[in-house]
Amino acid sequence: MTDHTLVEVVLPGIVEPEDLQVRAASVAQPGPGQLVIAMEATGVSFAEQQMRRGRYYDQPPFPFVPGYDLVGRVQSTGPGVDPALTGRRVAALTKVGGWASHVLVDARDAVEVPEGLTAEQAETVVVNGVTAWQMLHRAARVRAGQTVLVHGAGGGVGLVLVQLARAAGVKVIGTASARHHDALRALDVTPIDYRTGNVPAQVRELAPGGVDAVFDHVGGRSVIDSWHLLAAGGTLVAYGSASTRDDTGSKQWPVLKILARTWLWNALPNGRRAHFYNIWAGKKLQQNRFRARLHTDLSEVFAALRRGDISAPVAARLPLAKAGEALRLAESGTVTGKIILTP
């Protein structure tokens, strides 16, 4: 295969993972302000699980190439882009398009990966790391000595979030299935099994005065419980509706319900705050601010990874052509860590 052959994975419609298509094409030439990244690692995120069911609230029309983020080397640069970038390792957050051997991106969306990190290490913390960092430090603004509750602490975002919180001197209670508990205890997190017993009651026992922040990706009923577990001055950060992944009907409705609730709760004079976190907020209206924030935060996450404050396990590595198998594995809920696709 030459560097001029593009291999990409296409999601043709609402299909089973096995029905993803692999196709070859020509690598595009970068236009003004663009660059082409030769992908070294991309990943499977929860978004693709929702997209193949048509459940991701702003996914493009089918068919399209999925892939939320990627890491690779700059292969070529377009007019107006520093040619010295060629050969450098960069990361990009794409939402779609990452599951390809070569990806065309706006040069302003590429963030340099520091020396000393492999492509796979960096890939484990692009979308998950930025999400965790922004929720912790921008939305909840946690401080040392506080106590937080992280739902899904064994998941992709959850695992990075609990480690960043511990690095900031924050006490962490994490809900997770029992198989994650030993790993969470090793990270100095107090685990709670959400499958057995009453989660709110267990949290109240550990934090009688309430917690300073809750990070909730579950949506639905869970968000209401999370709000009631907050201490005075506490912050709820909702960032998804995982509980509705297999539902039918409107894909916007679960998100709109959470937004309506957060709006109502914020209108109450109770000193607590509710946020619905969306990694893409501000992308359309405040592009420069959005990009500056993304660069700053992803650079912070890469620095934390290099220092050893966080580590994100790689659960499995599969070639791009086996993306369907990788997606099936991600959905099985049997692995811990990031599933990586390589060219």
Side-chain angles (χ1 to χ4, degrees):
M1 195 192 301
T2 68
D3 279 345
H4 307 296
T5 308
L6 164 73
V7 177
E8 60 186 7
V9 176
V10 179
L11 184 56
I14 297 176
V15 296
E16 291 303 309
E18 292 72 23
D19 297 322
L20 289 171
Q21 296 165 359
V22 179
R23 70 180 178 204
S26 298
V27 177
Q29 288 302 309
Q34 294 181 320
L35 47 81
V36 170
I37 302 171
M39 184 270 283
E40 295 176 294
T42 180
V44 180
S45 68
F46 188 70
E48 287 92 37
Q49 301 179 33
Q50 292 176 305
M51 286 179 191
R52 80 157 184 91
R53 294 168 168 81
R55 303 287 305 161
Y56 189 81
Y57 69 102
D58 64 346
Q59 67 190 69
F62 296 115
F64 63 91
V65 176
Y68 218 85
D69 59 9
L70 74 148
V71 173
R73 301 260 179 203
V74 176
Q75 182 172 300
S76 55
T77 55
V81 179
D82 182 359
L85 281 171
T86 305
R88 295 216 191 140
R89 180 171 282 153
V90 295
L93 192 63
T94 51
K95 190 187 292 188
V96 294
W99 289 5
S101 60
H102 300 78
V103 181
L104 188 66
V105 301
D106 191 313
R108 293 172 300 175
D109 291 329
V111 179
E112 277 206 57
V113 175
E115 290 298 316
L117 290 182
T118 67
E120 288 189 6
Q121 284 175 317
E123 168 56 30
T124 60
V125 297
V126 183
V127 61
N128 292 344
V130 170
T131 299
W133 181 274
Q134 292 185 342
M135 292 197 302
L136 200 63
H137 294 294
R138 292 190 184 272
R141 302 193 190 112
V142 297
R143 296 186 306 281
Q146 290 186 324
T147 300
V148 303
L149 171 63
V150 177
H151 282 297
V157 172
L159 252 148
V160 180
L161 186 58
V162 300
Q163 293 176 82
L164 286 172
R166 292 299 301 125
V170 172
K171 293 194 188 86
V172 182
I173 301 165
T175 69
S177 51
R179 68 191 178 87
H180 292 299
H181 287 197
D182 288 344
L184 289 170
R185 284 190 197 98
L187 296 172
D188 204 17
V189 172
T190 306
I192 286 178
D193 189 344
Y194 64 86
R195 291 195 173 119
T196 59
N198 178 329
V199 170
Q202 292 179 75
V203 174
R204 281 203 189 88
E205 215 167 283
L206 293 164
V211 292
D212 298 295
V214 183
F215 301 92
D216 189 313
H217 68 304
V218 184
R221 169 75 223 176
S222 177
V223 179
I224 301 168
D225 289 337
S226 292
W227 175 254
H228 291 302
L229 288 169
L230 290 176
T235 306
L236 164 66
V237 185
Y239 67 105
S241 56
S243 60
T244 63
R245 184 189 78 172
D246 297 324
D247 290 4
T248 52
S250 164
K251 60 178 182 270
Q252 279 85 17
W253 182 236
V255 172
L256 292 173
K257 266 201 296 205
I258 300 172
L259 282 170
R261 277 200 182 110
T262 58
W263 184 84
L264 275 170
W265 285 331
N266 285 330
L268 299 172
N270 59 20
R272 294 178 291 180
R273 293 178 305 142
H275 280 272
F276 185 76
Y277 171 81
N278 168 15
I279 198 166
W280 300 103
K283 170 88 173 157
K284 286 194 177 79
L285 300 174
Q286 307 162 304
Q287 278 204 354
N288 293 345
R289 194 166 153 235
F290 174 86
R291 287 191 170 108
R293 209 169 51 197
L294 186 67
H295 273 258
T296 302
D297 298 347
L298 186 51
S299 299
E300 290 275 12
V301 170
F302 285 152
L305 191 59
R306 282 196 66 186
R307 280 195 304 271
D309 284 354
I310 58 175
S311 68
V314 172
R317 283 172 198 80
L318 290 100
L320 198 53
K322 292 196 172 172
E325 216 174 291
L327 187 53
R328 180 63 77 195
L329 183 62
E331 295 189 10
S332 71
T334 58
V335 295
T336 303
K338 187 88 177 177
I339 295 168
I340 301 273
L341 294 171
T342 59

